[in-house]
Amino acid sequence: STDKEGNVYVSPYNLMVLRTMIFNTFVFLQVFNELNCRRIDDSLNIFKNLHNNKIFILVQFVVIGGQYIIVTFGGRAFKTVPLSATQWLTTVLIGSLSLPVGLFLRLLPSYLIPESVLSHKSEEHKPLINPSRMRLQGATRSIQNQN
């Protein structure tokens, strides 16, 4: 609705519905991204052998069931409102858009991806301090504390 000056006014309830739908969409983006992440190679079929991974399926049921409980009954604690079937379907469909994005990324030729992304040799895996240096610093502190 609009006010006298033509400004759009969103009721507090509709704002809560919008926020709940955004929250629900983000959760389903994650759920579908987890499907994408099952394959880290160039294989296009992310559903291959899905039925053999019982723990993955269980986790997905727990996440989706938990999301349903949070949205439907979370109310004040999670600042959500129950969504209609159409709103649920809308958020799940938007969330499923991460599937074609994952497919597109797997179709990219590896020469388009920077070497730093593909390389497993990273500076971040080097320890900041080695064990002998830690012993030296510990001994130095011990001597300083004795004085």
Side-chain angles (χ1 to χ4, degrees):
S1 60
T2 57
D3 61 11
K4 294 175 188 175
E5 289 97 33
N7 298 320
V8 176
Y9 171 76
V10 179
S11 72
Y13 178 76
N14 286 340
L15 187 58
M16 289 300 295
V17 169
L18 178 62
R19 287 181 178 159
T20 303
M21 288 182 72
I22 291 170
F23 170 58
N24 213 36
T25 299
F26 277 120
V27 169
F28 279 99
L29 281 165
Q30 184 61 36
V31 166
F32 288 107
N33 190 48
E34 289 169 9
L35 279 169
N36 273 328
C37 291
R38 289 188 67 246
R39 303 302 304 226
I40 58 173
D41 54 9
D42 293 337
S43 176
L44 300 181
N45 185 3
I46 60 172
F47 300 104
K48 184 178 181 182
N49 295 324
L50 179 64
H51 63 282
N52 293 333
N53 197 336
K54 306 291 187 222
I55 293 176
F56 180 83
I57 294 170
L58 176 67
V59 167
Q60 297 310 308
F61 275 114
V62 169
V63 168
I64 294 168
Q67 182 64 12
Y68 176 78
I69 291 168
I70 287 171
V71 167
T72 305
F73 305 108
R76 286 186 178 167
F78 293 99
K79 297 182 180 176
T80 61
V81 293
L83 296 177
S84 69
T86 303
Q87 292 164 336
W88 271 97
L89 183 62
T90 301
T91 59
V92 171
L93 288 176
I94 293 170
S96 71
L97 293 176
S98 66
L99 292 176
V101 170
L103 176 65
F104 171 76
L105 292 175
R106 281 189 299 283
L107 290 173
L108 281 177
S110 59
Y111 67 83
L112 292 177
I113 302 171
E115 182 63 33
S116 61
V117 173
L118 296 176
S119 174
H120 297 294
K121 298 175 185 173
S122 175
E123 291 293 321
E124 68 186 73
H125 294 296
K126 290 184 179 178
L128 297 175
I129 189 168
N130 61 30
S132 61
R133 175 88 177 174
M134 289 184 348
R135 284 190 296 274
L136 175 65
Q137 287 179 342
T140 306
R141 273 191 225 107
S142 178
I143 292 170
Q144 288 172 343
N145 290 339
Q146 289 176 359
N147 293 334

